[in-house]
Amino acid sequence: MLDALRVLLPHMADSGDDAGRPPGFATRAIHEGSWSGAIAEEPVSPPVWLTSDYLYEGLDHYADVINERRPGFVYGRYGNPTHVALNRVLASLEGADAAWSFASGMAAIHTALTSLVRSGEHVVAQRTIYGGTFALLKNVFPGYGIDCTFVEAEADAVARAIRPTTKAVLVETLANPTFAVSDVRGIAHACADRGVVLVVDNTVATPYLFRPLELPGVGLVVHSTSKYINGHSDVIGGAAAGSRGAIDSIRSLSLEQGTTAGAFDAWLALRGVQTLALRMERQCATASAVAEALAGHPKIGSVGYSGLQAHPDHERASELFGGVGFGAMLSFEVLGVYDAAARMCDALRLARVGSSFGGLRTEICHPGTTSHRQLSGREREAAGIGDGLLRLAVGGEDPDDLVEDLMRALDKA
């Protein structure tokens, strides 16, 4: 071990009269475990690299790496081997050239859009969209000099809203929280015809159901990796995927903004994504069973789940998702509006009121007072978010248990 340490500390080994003197206690505590060397065996689980920075052979080595004249790593904000592994698998799953991971889904959306749009330019976004995204576009972007128009996620509505200054269009594959299916194919064509970049938030659908980049006209895909990519409700993260040039621009901006994912968060997402197909298959099937049960209940006014044949978007969803599934989230309107919805949620024992989705525990929320509280009453109404609307994120529980829990709670609503 001392020989290995002398390699690490050559100045100690060549110090004249002190040659052969073992390093001190503190020195050994810091340096002995610095690097175990190469191993012949491949680890089954990708290792997590928690180092914030790196050491170099000299000044030229460091300068070459940070200026990208030589491959290597610089600083945690610039990415590390754990990020590389996560970015590689996300790019592969979305059919992209490259991907970049962020500290949150909102960081991914913010950085992706600001890589495309400047002051004096314009964004078109769908009206029914996650509340945090709506607030970013309505409250933050005007301070940058960026204007935004909100429209229905239909090709003709988007085409009419595009201006000469429009640089990006943002839609969600499955609109949060109604889960209407966006006309991604038609919107992509409209954007391609007008030279506008289409950014698709694919968080709810995931690449298991749909890969937007396979459509001409889609430039970027963004995710909150906190949700189905991770799948275990133990991380906050985001990602963007697209062409090499687009991701290079996003990465450059991310380095300046400081929005890169933490190494351990990236590792948690990397661990979770390995079971994405298994989880989505089960959760989509359970969501379908729940939607069927709710659709026949006398206290439910409507169910927002495109897997139902009576749903107005069923044919579009079948085409986009190719019969793989229809997602693991749904919404439903409780007759009697908020008071009845609150009584139902209070009576639940298996499903619980929760703030997010994508994990293995079923969570339910009231979007009007939580996830979409940033919208005014008129804006919520225009987005189809009524006072009795509940959002259900189906987890991994046994379908019969979950249906029984919901039906029992409805009886008490």
Side-chain angles (χ1 to χ4, degrees), residues 249-297:
S249 297
I250 285 173
R251 176 182 179 273
S252 177
L253 193 56
S254 177
L255 300 187
E256 304 303 331
Q257 293 179 343
T259 56
T260 305
F264 189 64
D265 292 335
W267 182 82
L268 288 171
L270 180 61
R271 173 211 61 182
V273 75
Q274 297 175 58
T275 60
L276 177 62
L278 301 175
R279 290 183 283 106
M280 284 299 291
E281 181 179 14
R282 170 62 178 265
Q283 289 171 270
C284 287
T286 303
S288 181
V290 169
E292 291 284 354
L294 289 171
H297 199 284

Side-chain angles (χ1 to χ4, degrees), residues 196-268:
V196 175
V197 177
L198 175 58
V199 181
V200 178
D201 186 334
N202 204 35
T203 298
V204 177
T206 81
Y208 174 78
L209 292 181
F210 179 56
R211 289 163 295 281
L213 291 169
E214 293 177 357
L215 299 178
V218 179
L220 287 170
V221 170
V222 293
H223 282 275
S224 169
T225 55
S226 317
K227 311 306 193 293
Y228 293 104
I229 296 296
N230 165 257
H232 292 79
S233 304
D234 57 9
V235 69
I236 300 295
S243 69
R244 178 70 60 182
I247 298 304
D248 283 348
S249 297
I250 285 173
R251 176 182 179 273
S252 177
L253 193 56
S254 177
L255 300 187
E256 304 303 331
Q257 293 179 343
T259 56
T260 305
F264 189 64
D265 292 335
W267 182 82
L268 288 171

Side-chain angles (χ1 to χ4, degrees), residues 20 52 73 78 113 116 133 165 197 210 221 228 252 257 279 281 301 308 312 320 323-324 327 364 384 399:
S52 62
F73 296 96
Y78 288 65
L113 290 177
L116 299 169
T133 305
T165 56
V197 177
F210 179 56
V221 170
Y228 293 104
S252 177
Q257 293 179 343
R279 290 183 283 106
E281 181 179 14
L308 297 172
L320 281 182
V324 176
I364 193 168

Side-chain angles (χ1 to χ4, degrees), residues 60-350:
D60 290 342
H61 183 189
Y62 181 22
D64 285 346
V65 172
I66 199 170
N67 288 287
E68 299 183 351
R69 295 188 294 264
R70 173 174 174 175
F73 296 96
V74 178
Y75 186 63
R77 181 162 50 89
Y78 288 65
N80 76 11
T82 308
H83 295 110
V84 170
L86 176 61
N87 296 340
R88 183 171 61 241
V89 70
L90 292 178
S92 176
L93 293 179
E94 284 289 1
D97 293 337
W100 187 254
S101 46
F102 295 87
S104 70
M106 288 307 304
I109 291 173
H110 181 278
T111 310
L113 290 177
T114 52
S115 74
L116 299 169
V117 190
R118 300 289 184 270
S119 179
E121 296 176 339
H122 177 243
V123 176
V124 176
Q126 75 180 85
R127 179 172 287 115
T128 305
I129 202 166
Y130 169 58
T133 305
F134 181 91
L136 173 71
L137 295 171
K138 182 184 178 184
N139 301 331
V140 178
F141 273 27
Y144 300 163
I146 298 171
D147 191 18
C148 181
T149 302
F150 294 95
V151 299
E152 299 301 320
E154 300 291 338
D156 55 350
V158 170
R160 288 195 301 269
I162 291 176
R163 309 172 184 171
T165 56
T166 304
K167 298 300 178 182
V169 171
L170 174 65
V171 300
E172 295 175 344
T173 310
L174 288 166
N176 185 356
T178 64
F179 307 109
V181 184
S182 299
D183 181 17
V184 182
R185 194 177 302 277
I187 294 170
H189 285 303
C191 289
D193 290 345
R194 292 160 177 79
V196 175
V197 177
L198 175 58
V199 181
V200 178
D201 186 334
N202 204 35
T203 298
V204 177
T206 81
Y208 174 78
L209 292 181
F210 179 56
R211 289 163 295 281
L213 291 169
E214 293 177 357
L215 299 178
V218 179
L220 287 170
V221 170
V222 293
H223 282 275
S224 169
T225 55
S226 317
K227 311 306 193 293
Y228 293 104
I229 296 296
N230 165 257
H232 292 79
S233 304
D234 57 9
V235 69
I236 300 295
S243 69
R244 178 70 60 182
I247 298 304
D248 283 348
S249 297
I250 285 173
R251 176 182 179 273
S252 177
L253 193 56
S254 177
L255 300 187
E256 304 303 331
Q257 293 179 343
T259 56
T260 305
F264 189 64
D265 292 335
W267 182 82
L268 288 171
L270 180 61
R271 173 211 61 182
V273 75
Q274 297 175 58
T275 60
L276 177 62
L278 301 175
R279 290 183 283 106
M280 284 299 291
E281 181 179 14
R282 170 62 178 265
Q283 289 171 270
C284 287
T286 303
S288 181
V290 169
E292 291 284 354
L294 289 171
H297 199 284
K299 292 186 180 180
I300 300 298
S302 62
V303 177
Y305 188 71
S306 60
L308 297 172
Q309 291 192 357
H311 192 279
D313 295 336
H314 179 71
E315 185 176 343
R316 176 182 290 173
S318 298
E319 179 187 359
L320 281 182
F321 305 150
V324 176
F326 295 90
M329 296 189 71
L330 57 101
S331 62
F332 57 96
E333 193 84 28
V334 181
L335 298 178
V337 296
Y338 180 79
D339 289 344
R343 286 195 298 272
M344 177 199 171
C345 291
D346 289 344
L348 290 167
R349 293 296 176 264
L350 187 61

